[in-house]
mmCIF file of all heavy atoms in Angstrom:
data_model
loop_
_atom_site.group_PDB
_atom_site.id
_atom_site.type_symbol
_atom_site.label_atom_id
_atom_site.label_comp_id
_atom_site.label_asym_id
_atom_site.label_seq_id
_atom_site.Cartn_x
_atom_site.Cartn_y
_atom_site.Cartn_z
ATOM 1 N N ILE A 218 -9.240 3.578 13.972
ATOM 2 C CA ILE A 218 -8.387 4.466 13.189
ATOM 3 C C ILE A 218 -7.104 4.751 13.955
ATOM 4 O O ILE A 218 -7.138 5.153 15.118
ATOM 5 C CB ILE A 218 -9.117 5.783 12.873
ATOM 6 C CG1 ILE A 218 -10.395 5.481 12.070
ATOM 7 C CG2 ILE A 218 -8.215 6.730 12.095
ATOM 8 C CD1 ILE A 218 -11.325 6.646 11.942
ATOM 9 N N VAL A 219 -5.980 4.512 13.301
ATOM 10 C CA VAL A 219 -4.676 4.753 13.912
ATOM 11 C C VAL A 219 -3.968 5.841 13.125
ATOM 12 O O VAL A 219 -3.701 5.685 11.927
ATOM 13 C CB VAL A 219 -3.814 3.477 13.947
ATOM 14 C CG1 VAL A 219 -2.478 3.768 14.617
ATOM 15 C CG2 VAL A 219 -4.545 2.346 14.669
ATOM 16 N N GLU A 220 -3.690 6.946 13.797
ATOM 17 C CA GLU A 220 -2.879 7.996 13.184
ATOM 18 C C GLU A 220 -1.446 7.822 13.653
ATOM 19 O O GLU A 220 -1.177 7.658 14.843
ATOM 20 C CB GLU A 220 -3.385 9.387 13.573
ATOM 21 C CG GLU A 220 -2.583 10.498 12.888
ATOM 22 C CD GLU A 220 -2.998 11.897 13.309
ATOM 23 O OE1 GLU A 220 -3.634 12.023 14.379
ATOM 24 O OE2 GLU A 220 -2.676 12.847 12.588
ATOM 25 N N LEU A 221 -0.526 7.842 12.716
ATOM 26 C CA LEU A 221 0.893 7.725 13.022
ATOM 27 C C LEU A 221 1.509 9.115 12.930
ATOM 28 O O LEU A 221 1.524 9.733 11.854
ATOM 29 C CB LEU A 221 1.577 6.770 12.039
ATOM 30 C CG LEU A 221 0.983 5.353 11.982
ATOM 31 C CD1 LEU A 221 1.697 4.526 10.917
ATOM 32 C CD2 LEU A 221 1.058 4.671 13.338
ATOM 33 N N THR A 222 1.998 9.623 14.059
ATOM 34 C CA THR A 222 2.519 10.980 14.103
ATOM 35 C C THR A 222 3.961 10.998 14.596
ATOM 36 O O THR A 222 4.460 10.021 15.166
ATOM 37 C CB THR A 222 1.674 11.883 15.027
ATOM 38 O OG1 THR A 222 1.906 11.508 16.396
ATOM 39 C CG2 THR A 222 0.188 11.764 14.720
ATOM 40 N N GLY A 223 4.613 12.142 14.395
ATOM 41 C CA GLY A 223 5.951 12.344 14.915
ATOM 42 C C GLY A 223 5.905 13.018 16.268
ATOM 43 O O GLY A 223 4.833 13.368 16.774
ATOM 44 N N GLU A 224 7.062 13.220 16.842
ATOM 45 C CA GLU A 224 7.142 13.825 18.180
ATOM 46 C C GLU A 224 6.683 15.273 18.196
ATOM 47 O O GLU A 224 6.267 15.794 19.232
ATOM 48 C CB GLU A 224 8.577 13.714 18.697
ATOM 49 C CG GLU A 224 9.033 12.294 18.956
ATOM 50 C CD GLU A 224 10.448 12.225 19.475
ATOM 51 O OE1 GLU A 224 11.395 12.293 18.665
ATOM 52 O OE2 GLU A 224 10.610 12.128 20.712
ATOM 53 N N GLU A 225 6.739 15.929 17.049
ATOM 54 C CA GLU A 225 6.307 17.322 16.959
ATOM 55 C C GLU A 225 4.865 17.437 16.485
ATOM 56 O O GLU A 225 4.389 18.545 16.222
ATOM 57 C CB GLU A 225 7.227 18.104 16.013
ATOM 58 C CG GLU A 225 8.694 18.090 16.404
ATOM 59 C CD GLU A 225 8.929 18.699 17.771
ATOM 60 O OE1 GLU A 225 8.256 19.704 18.086
ATOM 61 O OE2 GLU A 225 9.784 18.174 18.531
ATOM 62 N N GLY A 226 4.187 16.293 16.361
ATOM 63 C CA GLY A 226 2.787 16.309 15.964
ATOM 64 C C GLY A 226 2.538 16.154 14.474
ATOM 65 O O GLY A 226 1.383 16.092 14.034
ATOM 66 N N GLU A 227 3.600 16.097 13.672
ATOM 67 C CA GLU A 227 3.416 15.916 12.238
ATOM 68 C C GLU A 227 2.797 14.545 11.963
ATOM 69 O O GLU A 227 3.107 13.564 12.636
ATOM 70 C CB GLU A 227 4.741 16.065 11.483
ATOM 71 C CG GLU A 227 5.808 15.022 11.781
ATOM 72 C CD GLU A 227 6.672 15.345 12.975
ATOM 73 O OE1 GLU A 227 6.194 15.941 13.945
ATOM 74 O OE2 GLU A 227 7.859 14.932 12.951
ATOM 75 N N SER A 228 1.906 14.478 10.975
ATOM 76 C CA SER A 228 1.192 13.233 10.686
ATOM 77 C C SER A 228 1.852 12.516 9.506
ATOM 78 O O SER A 228 1.991 13.069 8.419
ATOM 79 C CB SER A 228 -0.270 13.545 10.355
ATOM 80 O OG SER A 228 -1.007 12.362 10.162
ATOM 81 N N TYR A 229 2.272 11.279 9.747
ATOM 82 C CA TYR A 229 2.907 10.486 8.693
ATOM 83 C C TYR A 229 1.865 9.729 7.870
ATOM 84 O O TYR A 229 1.964 9.662 6.646
ATOM 85 C CB TYR A 229 3.886 9.477 9.300
ATOM 86 C CG TYR A 229 5.071 10.115 9.980
ATOM 87 C CD1 TYR A 229 5.351 9.857 11.327
ATOM 88 C CD2 TYR A 229 5.924 10.987 9.292
ATOM 89 C CE1 TYR A 229 6.445 10.437 11.968
ATOM 90 C CE2 TYR A 229 7.019 11.567 9.929
ATOM 91 C CZ TYR A 229 7.270 11.284 11.256
ATOM 92 O OH TYR A 229 8.341 11.868 11.877
ATOM 93 N N ALA A 230 0.902 9.128 8.558
ATOM 94 C CA ALA A 230 -0.113 8.338 7.863
ATOM 95 C C ALA A 230 -1.306 8.114 8.778
ATOM 96 O O ALA A 230 -1.186 8.202 10.007
ATOM 97 C CB ALA A 230 0.454 6.992 7.414
ATOM 98 N N VAL A 231 -2.454 7.839 8.153
ATOM 99 C CA VAL A 231 -3.659 7.470 8.899
ATOM 100 C C VAL A 231 -4.141 6.143 8.330
ATOM 101 O O VAL A 231 -4.283 6.005 7.103
ATOM 102 C CB VAL A 231 -4.758 8.536 8.777
ATOM 103 C CG1 VAL A 231 -5.984 8.136 9.603
ATOM 104 C CG2 VAL A 231 -4.257 9.909 9.200
#
Side-chain angles (χ1 to χ4, degrees):
I218 300 168
V219 181
E220 183 183 19
L221 303 177
T222 72
E224 294 180 279
E225 302 300 321
E227 65 274 34
S228 184
Y229 294 123
V231 182

